[in-house]
Amino acid sequence: MPVDDGAITVEIGLNAAIVAVTSRSPRILAVSEGLEDSRDGLPFGPFDPARHRTFETSLRASVEQQTALDLGYIEQLYTFGDRGRHRSPGEAGKHMVSVGYLALTRTDAENNARLADAGAHWRDWYSYLPWEDWRQGRPAIIDQVILPALRLWEKAGHQDERMGLPQRRTRMRLAFGLDDFPWDEERVLERYELLYEAGLVGEAVIDGRAVATAMPPIGLTMRHDHRRIVATAVARLRGKIKYRPVIFELMPPEFTLTDLQATVEAISGRHLHKQNFRRLVEGAELVEPTGMLTAATGGRPAALFRFRRQILDERPAPGLKVGGR
């Protein structure tokens, strides 16, 4: 049978959105490819079925090789396969399909030193998605930058038969909590995709889906569609902490309730009332006191707690219902 020189080769790649919380900020592990492309990217590796039986073992091996980091909790997010999503020079006839993963880990000085040697670094995930951080109230960037630009995009859609004005307006209301719609912290991916379609993020210009304007792109631009994977990971984790105790994968073995609250706030992007949060934790029975105190807070000694693992056998969905849909 003759070989079709125009055949498309499909390659399966594995991307990891690796999350940690340090200094009460949610971090994404980013890697760099070199001076010719200074944009952040996620740890990535091709799936090699000759060496690895499963996607997960292949991903863990690639991440360890690139970052010298051992992953803890890991789960598959989504398969990203849109055409044009992974364009690189010389990739004619090649199509990259990536399987995205969410991974959680803890950091320490030794790990961070190894990461630096491997050319990896932690980046606050709100530098990629600045409109998602509501811990100090509604971010100014929404009303000062995003909504004015989206309203212009909304008006432009009036002439588009495929997507009229009402549909664009409805998507804006749902995504950003306008009019009678509340803000939903889990709609992270919808918000990013809306900004991409409106040409307000740098990836849309690089992909040829929008024309560059005088307005700076919103948030740090990443390589390929890695910011879309980050948005998917943030949305998944924000939903996950409400019905599974994955938040403790980001905590040290012993912690104060203040540190636990700060970690939940960092992930959810919401400020939580201290007494309400403590009642929530007590009602969920997720933690137990160690009987020890710590003076590391700088004030009165604070009680130390640990995750109560028996809860996994007691309830099917133990989590912290901090809000949402």
Side-chain angles (χ1 to χ4, degrees):
M1 180 179 294
V3 177
D4 183 1
D5 293 336
I8 302 296
T9 299
V10 175
E11 182 176 339
I12 297 176
L14 306 170
N15 286 101
I18 304 173
V19 178
V21 174
T22 60
S23 302
R24 300 188 175 182
S25 293
R27 312 283 183 174
I28 290 284
L29 187 65
V31 295
S32 302
E33 288 187 344
L35 297 177
E36 68 279 359
D37 189 348
S38 60
R39 291 175 294 163
D40 285 348
L42 297 175
F44 168 84
F47 173 58
D48 184 355
R51 296 180 56 201
H52 302 286
R53 186 176 63 86
T54 67
F55 285 173
E56 183 174 326
T57 55
S58 183
L59 176 70
R60 289 181 182 275
S62 294
V63 168
E64 185 174 354
Q65 180 181 4
Q66 290 182 52
T67 67
L69 184 69
D70 293 326
L71 299 183
Y73 174 88
I74 184 171
E75 71 168 272
Q76 189 176 127
L77 283 172
Y78 191 73
T79 299
F80 301 84
D82 293 352
R83 196 168 61 182
R85 60 166 294 278
H86 202 282
R87 295 192 308 174
S88 296
E91 280 197 334
K94 179 180 178 182
H95 181 65
M96 176 66 71
V97 174
S98 280
V99 181
Y101 281 84
L102 166 66
L104 307 181
T105 190
R106 303 183 182 101
T107 64
D108 56 37
E110 182 180 350
N111 278 345
N112 290 339
R114 293 205 313 267
L115 292 174
D117 291 340
H121 57 278
W122 293 106
R123 181 87 74 179
D124 190 318
W125 77 21
Y126 293 121
S127 63
Y128 303 121
L129 310 168
W131 55 87
E132 294 292 337
D133 188 0
W134 285 61
R135 287 173 294 176
Q136 304 299 322
R138 184 180 178 88
I141 193 173
I142 292 178
D143 296 308
Q144 295 176 4
V145 179
I146 292 175
L147 290 182
L150 283 179
R151 290 189 180 106
L152 293 176
W153 173 78
E154 174 194 355
K155 292 177 181 178
H158 189 56
Q159 304 299 323
D160 191 336
E161 295 181 355
R162 295 172 299 170
M163 183 177 292
L165 183 62
Q167 186 174 351
R168 289 192 176 189
R169 178 63 182 174
T170 299
R171 291 176 64 197
M172 290 168 55
R173 292 168 67 197
L174 283 170
F176 285 94
L178 306 179
D179 303 331
D180 55 339
F181 287 92
W183 173 268
D184 185 343
E185 69 269 15
E186 292 184 45
R187 292 187 179 273
V188 188
L189 182 59
E190 291 99 315
R191 285 186 281 273
Y192 174 73
E193 290 187 330
L194 187 63
L195 296 178
Y196 179 94
E197 189 173 328
L200 302 180
V201 293
E203 289 87 343
V205 176
I206 293 170
D207 293 347
R209 307 294 176 88
V211 177
T213 66
M215 189 182 85
I218 301 172
L220 289 182
T221 303
M222 299 187 75
R223 292 198 299 271
H224 310 309
D225 61 352
H226 290 192
R227 190 152 46 146
R228 186 179 179 219
I229 299 175
V230 169
T232 306
V234 174
R236 175 70 63 85
L237 187 53
R238 284 181 170 181
K240 196 88 171 180
I241 64 174
K242 297 172 185 176
Y243 62 90
R244 297 300 298 169
V246 293
I247 196 69
F248 297 100
E249 298 287 342
L250 301 168
M251 302 296 299
E254 298 180 350
F255 48 83
T256 67
L257 292 184
T258 298
D259 288 336
L260 178 61
Q261 177 176 341
T263 301
V264 174
E265 289 178 332
I267 297 301
S268 67
R270 304 177 56 197
H271 170 69
L272 303 172
H273 186 273
K274 181 177 180 179
Q275 296 306 320
N276 289 345
F277 178 79
R278 298 203 172 196
R279 280 194 292 269
L280 176 67
V281 171
E282 291 172 0
E285 300 179 316
L286 292 174
V287 302
E288 59 186 6
T290 66
M292 305 295 290
L293 300 175
T294 177
T297 58
R300 294 176 56 187
L304 287 171
F305 292 78
R306 59 177 168 250
F307 173 48
R308 194 174 73 85
R309 296 193 175 276
Q310 298 94 312
I311 197 69
L312 298 174
D313 299 322
E314 297 170 357
R315 290 212 306 271
L320 292 168
K321 306 293 192 296
V322 293
R325 297 177 183 143

